[in-house]
Amino acid sequence: MSELASSQSPGSAFPTRRLMDGLFVLALAIGAGFALQRFGAYMDLYEKSFLVLAVPLFGWLGWQWRGLRNLQVAATLAALAAIALYQHDLARAEQVFLLKYFLSSQTAIMWMSALVFFATGAYWLGLIARAPFAERTGSAATWIACGAALTGMLVRWYESYLIGTDVGHIPISNLYEVFVLFVMITALLYLRYEQRYGTRRLGAFVMLVESAAVGFLLWYAFSRGAHEIQPLIPALQSYWMKIHVPANFIGYGAFSLAAMIGVAWLLAERGILASRLPSLELMDDVMYRAIAIGFAFFTVATILGALWAAEAWGTYWQWDPKETWALIVWLNYAAWLHIRLTKGLRGAMLAWWAVVGLLVTSFAFLGVNMFLSGLHSYGSL
């Protein structure tokens, strides 16, 4: 039996799970109804549609993965507690103990950052020392970090409206916010595979890219003041942003996960940590699944981006540097999947390709903003 398998029998768990699934969807519906009643005046038709569609979507995700359901519930309760403590006054973030040290958006994101570093160390200790307790600690810390990230984003969304109704927006509009999104999505993708394959031995590698992202996030926050909430620039005042950006970052997160599994594969193939890591076949399968999922979402994101461009600039494609590099990323992973599926190739070449693919993806995500200019220059450093 898998090290992560549940000890509860299916028969005894089924009625309880059905009840919890039903209560979860009911809570989602009540929450969506309350949001529509309370904040509907500030929403357009598209935002109301997204909110209504979120109920079956997140309900289905919660049914499929109880860990994600529990995360959503915990983060929602924490965010609601923060909202109640604010009492419509943003200044209370520095006056109320729970807000100042736990529940304000910036504090929650700092907890996320600390927990990511802690989880990275715990996973590596577990891998090197063959210590299951350290691995379980790393897994738990990663879950809590995801909860802190989701709480921080939800509370930041509310805080933006406390600044002004004309300032309020979903927190995925700048590099600071999307790095929080990237950390959370990548960690959740890893945790899903951790559960699916019943091993925590790959967490040490995946959390390295998470720690690097958090390192950039902290530098960006403290050196550039990027944590401050700013009004949306006109180019981002679009409903397309709310679906284009999350789809993009599921792709980025999956590609990053695949690259770090590729690093583990290459080390194990050379006999480094081979006795501590899962089999090459298992890692190859995780790498393939991650790239397949990432490619699907990145394709959707690219199509959505083209539709957004047509609305904003009157044309679907302008060979802007960001668009060009997005196409390069898409072609890179399309070729990877084509070779694996049609030629049946496995092994070192595809592992190296996945690793190099992360460099290409990183330049498309961050390098373009740093070194090139174009229609997407609003995301520059």
Side-chain angles (χ1 to χ4, degrees), residues 53 57 86 92 230 239 243 312 320 333 340 364:
L53 292 173
L57 172 61
Y86 267 118
R92 288 174 62 84
Q230 301 292 337
Y239 57 87
I243 50 178
D320 173 75
Y333 289 107
R340 190 186 192 279

Short mmCIF file of all heavy atoms in Angstrom, two decimals, residues 53 57 86 92 230 239 243 312 320 333 340 364:
data_model
loop_
_atom_site.label_atom_id
_atom_site.label_comp_id
_atom_site.label_asym_id
_atom_site.label_seq_id
_atom_site.Cartn_x
_atom_site.Cartn_y
_atom_site.Cartn_z
N LEU A 53 -20.10 30.40 -12.23
CA LEU A 53 -19.45 29.19 -12.77
C LEU A 53 -18.41 28.62 -11.82
O LEU A 53 -18.08 27.43 -11.90
CB LEU A 53 -18.81 29.52 -14.12
CG LEU A 53 -19.77 29.82 -15.27
CD1 LEU A 53 -19.00 30.29 -16.49
CD2 LEU A 53 -20.62 28.60 -15.61
N LEU A 57 -17.26 24.49 -10.67
CA LEU A 57 -15.86 24.19 -10.94
C LEU A 57 -15.13 23.81 -9.67
O LEU A 57 -14.50 22.74 -9.59
CB LEU A 57 -15.19 25.40 -11.59
CG LEU A 57 -13.67 25.30 -11.76
CD1 LEU A 57 -13.31 24.12 -12.66
CD2 LEU A 57 -13.10 26.60 -12.31
N TYR A 86 -11.14 43.78 9.77
CA TYR A 86 -10.85 45.08 9.16
C TYR A 86 -11.93 46.13 9.46
O TYR A 86 -11.63 47.32 9.59
CB TYR A 86 -10.69 44.94 7.65
CG TYR A 86 -9.26 44.72 7.21
CD1 TYR A 86 -8.89 43.56 6.55
CD2 TYR A 86 -8.28 45.68 7.45
CE1 TYR A 86 -7.58 43.35 6.15
CE2 TYR A 86 -6.97 45.49 7.06
CZ TYR A 86 -6.62 44.32 6.41
OH TYR A 86 -5.32 44.12 6.02
N ARG A 92 -6.51 49.33 10.23
CA ARG A 92 -6.52 48.31 11.28
C ARG A 92 -5.52 47.20 11.03
O ARG A 92 -5.25 46.39 11.93
CB ARG A 92 -7.93 47.73 11.44
CG ARG A 92 -8.91 48.71 12.08
CD ARG A 92 -10.33 48.16 12.07
NE ARG A 92 -10.46 46.93 12.84
CZ ARG A 92 -10.66 46.85 14.14
NH1 ARG A 92 -10.71 47.97 14.86
NH2 ARG A 92 -10.80 45.69 14.75
N GLN A 230 -1.63 48.88 -6.18
CA GLN A 230 -1.74 50.00 -7.11
C GLN A 230 -2.98 49.83 -7.99
O GLN A 230 -3.43 48.71 -8.24
CB GLN A 230 -0.50 50.07 -8.01
CG GLN A 230 0.81 50.23 -7.25
CD GLN A 230 0.93 51.59 -6.58
OE1 GLN A 230 0.27 52.55 -6.98
NE2 GLN A 230 1.77 51.67 -5.55
N TYR A 239 -11.91 41.79 -18.43
CA TYR A 239 -12.31 40.50 -17.88
C TYR A 239 -11.39 39.38 -18.37
O TYR A 239 -11.28 38.33 -17.75
CB TYR A 239 -13.76 40.19 -18.23
CG TYR A 239 -14.07 40.21 -19.70
CD1 TYR A 239 -13.89 39.08 -20.50
CD2 TYR A 239 -14.53 41.37 -20.32
CE1 TYR A 239 -14.17 39.10 -21.85
CE2 TYR A 239 -14.82 41.39 -21.68
CZ TYR A 239 -14.64 40.27 -22.43
OH TYR A 239 -14.91 40.28 -23.78
N ILE A 243 -9.03 35.27 -16.58
CA ILE A 243 -8.92 33.88 -17.02
C ILE A 243 -7.60 33.61 -17.75
O ILE A 243 -7.07 32.50 -17.68
CB ILE A 243 -10.12 33.48 -17.89
CG1 ILE A 243 -10.37 34.50 -19.02
CG2 ILE A 243 -11.36 33.33 -17.04
CD1 ILE A 243 -11.52 34.12 -19.94
N ALA A 312 -8.28 44.58 -27.32
CA ALA A 312 -7.54 45.75 -26.84
C ALA A 312 -6.83 46.51 -27.96
O ALA A 312 -6.80 47.75 -27.96
CB ALA A 312 -6.51 45.31 -25.79
N ASP A 320 4.66 40.98 -30.94
CA ASP A 320 5.25 41.63 -29.78
C ASP A 320 6.22 40.64 -29.12
O ASP A 320 6.03 39.43 -29.20
CB ASP A 320 4.10 41.99 -28.82
CG ASP A 320 4.58 42.52 -27.50
OD1 ASP A 320 5.02 43.67 -27.45
OD2 ASP A 320 4.53 41.76 -26.51
N TYR A 333 7.31 22.91 -26.18
CA TYR A 333 6.64 21.80 -25.50
C TYR A 333 5.77 20.99 -26.46
O TYR A 333 5.56 19.78 -26.24
CB TYR A 333 5.83 22.32 -24.31
CG TYR A 333 6.73 22.78 -23.19
CD1 TYR A 333 6.92 24.12 -22.92
CD2 TYR A 333 7.44 21.85 -22.43
CE1 TYR A 333 7.77 24.54 -21.90
CE2 TYR A 333 8.30 22.25 -21.42
CZ TYR A 333 8.46 23.60 -21.16
OH TYR A 333 9.32 24.00 -20.16
N ARG A 340 7.76 12.45 -27.83
CA ARG A 340 7.50 11.38 -26.86
C ARG A 340 6.35 10.49 -27.31
O ARG A 340 6.39 9.27 -27.16
CB ARG A 340 7.19 11.97 -25.49
CG ARG A 340 7.16 10.90 -24.38
CD ARG A 340 6.71 11.50 -23.07
NE ARG A 340 6.94 10.59 -21.97
CZ ARG A 340 6.15 9.57 -21.63
NH1 ARG A 340 5.07 9.32 -22.35
NH2 ARG A 340 6.43 8.81 -20.59
N ALA A 364 10.66 33.81 -21.20
CA ALA A 364 9.38 34.29 -21.71
C ALA A 364 8.58 34.98 -20.61
O ALA A 364 7.89 35.98 -20.85
CB ALA A 364 8.58 33.13 -22.29
#
